[in-house]
Amino acid sequence: MKQKITIKTIAKELGVSTSTVSKALKDSHEIGKETKDKIQAFANHYNYKPNSLALQLRNQKTKVIGVILPKIVHHFFSTVIMGIEAYANEKGYHIMVCFSNEDYQKEVETLSVLSNGSVDGLIVSIANETLENKDFSHFIDLVEEDIPLVLFDRVVDDILCDKIVVDDVGAGYKATKHLVDIGCKRIGLITTPDHVSVGALRRLGYEKALIESYVKTDSKLIIKIDEKQDIKKQIEQLFEQNIDGIFAVNEIYAANAMRIAKEKGLNIPNDISIIGFTDGLISEYSSPSITTIAQHGFIMGRQAVELLIDRIENETEVFTPKKIVISSDLKIRESTKTSS
């Protein structure tokens, strides 16, 4: 008895993409005769039968958009959801929000469930563990199956789909330049591990601002946070150095830094100035309020769903992936000095 096979099985065995197999089985003119014959012969030999239920579900419009987020603790992601929902509702779509909890396997399983006919397209910010593993095959398979996908914030160049990002390098530069301009000489950076692209890019901006100001980068002043460990204890290591300024790549790190500074009896901003990232309630209502980089999550969410709906409703057009870069703004508050 021959084994039951799928499009993915055929693609793997013959060393072609799932998209090529799908088109060959539909006798598409886009696939060369030799490749088409080889794929069709292989499928016939193993008695390939398409999953008619999955095809039926996929070909029907649900008017639902799937959104997969790494977590909800950051204010940024909640504003992105608001932006997505606002435009989706205008266009008659509903959204279904799921969370990967930064877990690779959870992301793979959620993507598989949603892409099997539950939604018309997907908007995703990639999980931390996926970035660390560098295994993006579940996204690549999705693209090859012509399922509309938009990545935002945490994106990967290898995945050929639409992307929405913040100018993270420019944001890191603006934050650090402000600290330099108000007289900070020893500026610490609280960031993510290198595999998280947003943190790595913000670090580039930090380093660029220091270089332009003729300040040497000191690796002892850079803390890369492992969120599986105690965040506060890791940030406390930075205070063992002689610092007078801190740039944190999210507002949770910034709030932790401010708490530690207060515990050590430091005056904010006279002894140390602190800048965070993402203009959320933590930053606004902390005492003192935290100077921050406004990320414009609502705009990012709205533009992400605009791209996705355009792709869903114009699927017959030749697809060329787009990348939109959104600039950020510095909101100066009480946690940084006003002048040097």
Side-chain angles (χ1 to χ4, degrees):
M1 184 176 177
K2 293 185 175 69
Q3 67 185 91
K4 185 177 179 181
I5 63 167
T6 64
I7 285 178
K8 286 184 181 178
T9 311
I10 300 171
K12 187 175 180 182
E13 288 295 326
L14 299 182
V16 296
S17 70
T18 53
S19 178
T20 298
V21 174
S22 178
K23 288 174 182 176
L25 294 174
K26 292 174 184 173
D27 204 27
S28 170
H29 67 277
E30 296 178 50
I31 308 301
K33 186 177 185 306
E34 185 180 343
T35 302
K36 193 187 297 182
D37 288 347
K38 183 169 66 173
I39 290 169
Q40 290 176 352
F42 188 95
N44 290 334
H45 177 73
Y46 284 96
N47 196 28
Y48 167 75
K49 300 288 184 203
N51 184 336
S52 56
L53 177 60
L55 284 173
Q56 183 181 1
L57 287 170
R58 192 169 290 167
N59 289 333
Q60 291 176 347
K61 295 302 180 192
T62 64
K63 302 295 278 188
V64 176
I65 289 165
V67 182
I68 305 177
L69 304 175
K71 58 176 75 172
I72 195 60
V73 294
H74 295 305
H75 172 79
F76 167 67
F77 288 125
S78 63
T79 59
V80 170
I81 292 173
M82 290 168 62
I84 292 171
E85 188 167 43
Y87 186 78
N89 288 347
E90 284 178 26
K91 293 294 183 178
Y93 286 79
H94 298 282
I95 66 170
M96 184 186 298
V97 182
C98 302
F99 300 95
S100 65
N101 296 322
E102 303 287 17
D103 182 82
Y104 166 80
Q105 195 56 45
K106 181 84 186 295
E107 183 177 80
V108 170
E109 290 169 1
T110 305
L111 210 63
S112 175
V113 170
L114 292 182
S115 65
N116 202 25
S118 300
V119 299
D120 294 338
L122 289 144
I123 298 172
V124 185
S125 185
I126 301 175
N128 194 330
E129 192 174 58
T130 303
L131 294 169
E132 189 173 7
N133 292 346
K134 293 183 171 60
D135 182 355
F136 310 113
S137 56
H138 49 305
F139 289 111
I140 292 167
D141 287 346
L142 203 71
V143 171
E144 289 182 345
E145 290 172 24
D146 292 324
I147 296 171
L149 170 68
V150 174
L151 294 178
F152 77 94
D153 192 45
R154 301 179 188 176
V155 306
V156 173
D157 290 339
D158 293 348
I159 304 167
L160 298 178
C161 66
D162 292 327
K163 302 175 181 77
I164 308 277
V165 295
V166 170
D167 177 11
D168 286 303
V169 176
Y173 176 86
K174 285 176 186 175
T176 310
K177 183 70 165 56
H178 176 64
L179 290 170
V180 170
D181 289 346
I182 61 175
C184 295
K185 305 293 185 188
R186 300 269 295 168
I187 301 169
L189 174 67
I190 307 171
T191 187
T192 58
D194 292 337
H195 62 262
V196 181
S197 57
V198 291
L201 292 170
R202 289 167 198 173
R203 176 178 174 172
L204 286 176
Y206 160 86
E207 292 174 342
K208 180 184 176 185
L210 292 182
I211 290 167
E212 283 189 8
S213 304
Y214 302 100
V215 177
K216 186 178 179 182
T217 303
D218 185 345
S219 61
K220 292 178 184 175
L221 302 186
I222 299 174
I223 300 292
K224 299 173 186 177
I225 300 296
D226 178 357
E227 294 200 358
K228 293 176 184 175
Q229 308 298 323
D230 189 311
I231 292 174
K232 185 170 179 278
K233 282 185 179 178
Q234 293 173 77
I235 294 174
E236 282 172 346
Q237 298 171 32
L238 184 57
F239 284 81
E240 295 171 7
Q241 306 298 320
N242 178 26
I243 54 173
D244 56 6
I246 290 176
F247 168 42
V249 301
N250 65 50
E251 68 176 358
I252 291 173
Y253 297 171
N256 270 280
M258 194 155 74
R259 178 182 169 190
I260 295 164
K262 286 181 177 180
E263 288 173 356
K264 292 184 176 296
L266 297 172
N267 178 277
I268 305 165
N270 294 326
D271 298 326
I272 187 166
S273 290
I274 297 172
I275 294 182
F277 209 102
T278 299
D279 184 27
L281 297 177
I282 293 174
S283 299
E284 186 175 358
Y285 293 110
S286 290
S287 181
S289 56
I290 303 174
T291 295
T292 189
I293 294 288
Q295 215 169 345
H296 304 305
F298 186 91
I299 295 171
M300 181 178 279
R302 186 177 177 91
Q303 294 203 341
V305 78
E306 279 185 33
L307 280 177
L308 188 70
I309 291 175
D310 182 62
R311 173 101 160 82
I312 291 167
E313 296 184 349
N314 299 286
E315 56 187 11
T316 56
E317 294 181 5
V318 176
F319 175 61
T320 304
K322 298 174 184 174
K323 185 174 185 179
I324 295 175
V325 180
I326 298 173
S327 62
S328 57
D329 300 314
L330 180 66
K331 280 199 172 182
I332 298 174
R333 294 200 178 103
E334 299 165 346
S335 68
T336 55
K337 290 179 283 188
T338 55
S339 60
S340 58

